[in-house]
Amino acid sequence: MSKCPICQVILRELCINEKKQTLCKVYEDYELGNVKGVEALDFALAEAGYDGYMRAKNSIKAKGLLPKELLGD
């Protein structure tokens, strides 16, 4: 299964920023190919909530990990 670079970045930043074992497990499972990107993102975003997503998004922008156009504003 090929990986989605955007999914990888978002899942990794959610794990790092939220410091929740559940989110890190989702990222790990995604990296190991145990779960698909859409499923992993759906679960991780629900788990992190809006505020968690915004922290991850701002971190991604600050680090320049993805083009800003991909994240919206």
Side-chain angles (χ1 to χ4, degrees):
M1 168 173 57
S2 65
K3 293 198 173 62
C4 161
I6 297 169
C7 298
Q8 285 178 300
V9 170
I10 293 171
L11 289 170
R12 184 179 61 240
E13 288 302 307
L14 284 171
C15 170
I16 291 168
N17 288 313
E18 296 307 297
K19 298 179 176 111
K20 286 186 175 181
Q21 185 176 0
T22 307
L23 292 172
C24 292
K25 177 73 173 131
V26 170
Y27 173 60
E28 180 182 314
D29 284 346
Y30 178 72
E31 285 297 314
L32 293 172
N34 296 333
V35 62
K36 294 179 183 175
V38 173
E39 294 167 352
L41 276 176
D42 282 348
F43 180 82
L45 292 173
E47 182 74 18
Y50 179 78
D51 290 339
Y53 169 71
M54 291 307 293
R55 282 188 289 274
K57 178 180 171 181
N58 290 334
S59 176
I60 290 167
K61 282 183 176 181
K63 294 176 183 178
L65 299 174
L66 291 172
K68 292 178 183 177
E69 305 82 53
L70 291 178
L71 295 170
D73 228 355

